[in-house]
Amino acid sequence: MGQSKLAKVTSILEEIMIKAQHKSKKFTMGFEETQKANQYGAIDSLVFSERIIQTHDEEKVIEFLNEAEAKGVKVYALDSSTDIGMQVSGLGGIVSLLRFSVES
């Protein structure tokens, strides 16, 4: 089970990097950008490291994650001490793949 989660998260991160290279707007990086996309119901999958809770208001982050899950978003949590967790932390602590692009 843990291996399939890791494979899914790795796949999401690879897809985000490809979208970034192609200047696609169908992903977010960072809390504010991801939060805005969630308001539009645009998020398909979301990955965060627990470091986001250390750099933002914990209550606000947990409320946001609960809202996202309630909208059917697939949410994946990572330990920021792992390689993939450090990668997500370096991208603002939270990233997401979008169903459709949202203008900034």
Side-chain angles (χ1 to χ4, degrees), residues 66-102:
N66 288 335
E67 279 175 27
E69 282 187 323
K71 290 181 178 181
V73 174
K74 296 180 240 28
V75 176
Y76 302 93
L78 295 172
D79 180 337
S80 65
S81 67
T82 63
D83 286 345
I84 198 159
M86 285 190 280
Q87 190 176 356
V88 171
S89 293
L91 298 172
I94 189 165
V95 295
S96 72
L97 282 175
L98 304 181
R99 293 181 181 101
F100 54 89
S101 60
V102 176

Side-chain angles (χ1 to χ4, degrees), residues 56-71:
H56 289 75
D57 181 292
E58 182 176 357
E59 212 171 288
K60 197 173 171 183
V61 172
I62 290 169
E63 184 179 312
F64 162 72
L65 293 171
N66 288 335
E67 279 175 27
E69 282 187 323
K71 290 181 178 181

Side-chain angles (χ1 to χ4, degrees), residues 10-11 13 18 23 30 40 96:
T10 301
S11 168
L13 284 178
I18 290 166
K23 306 211 182 328
Y40 291 104
S96 72

Side-chain angles (χ1 to χ4, degrees), residues 7-53:
K8 181 64 180 162
V9 168
T10 301
S11 168
I12 290 169
L13 284 178
E14 286 172 359
E15 197 170 334
I16 286 171
M17 293 304 152
I18 290 166
K19 288 183 183 305
Q21 286 177 330
H22 292 101
K23 306 211 182 328
S24 168
K25 295 189 186 298
K26 290 182 70 179
F27 70 95
T28 65
M29 286 193 257
F31 187 68
E32 288 74 20
E33 190 178 338
T34 305
Q35 193 173 29
K36 181 179 178 190
N38 189 52
Q39 291 171 345
Y40 291 104
I43 300 175
D44 178 61
S45 304
L46 180 151
V47 180
F48 72 97
S49 75
E50 93 275 349
R51 184 159 294 157
I52 192 76
I53 293 169

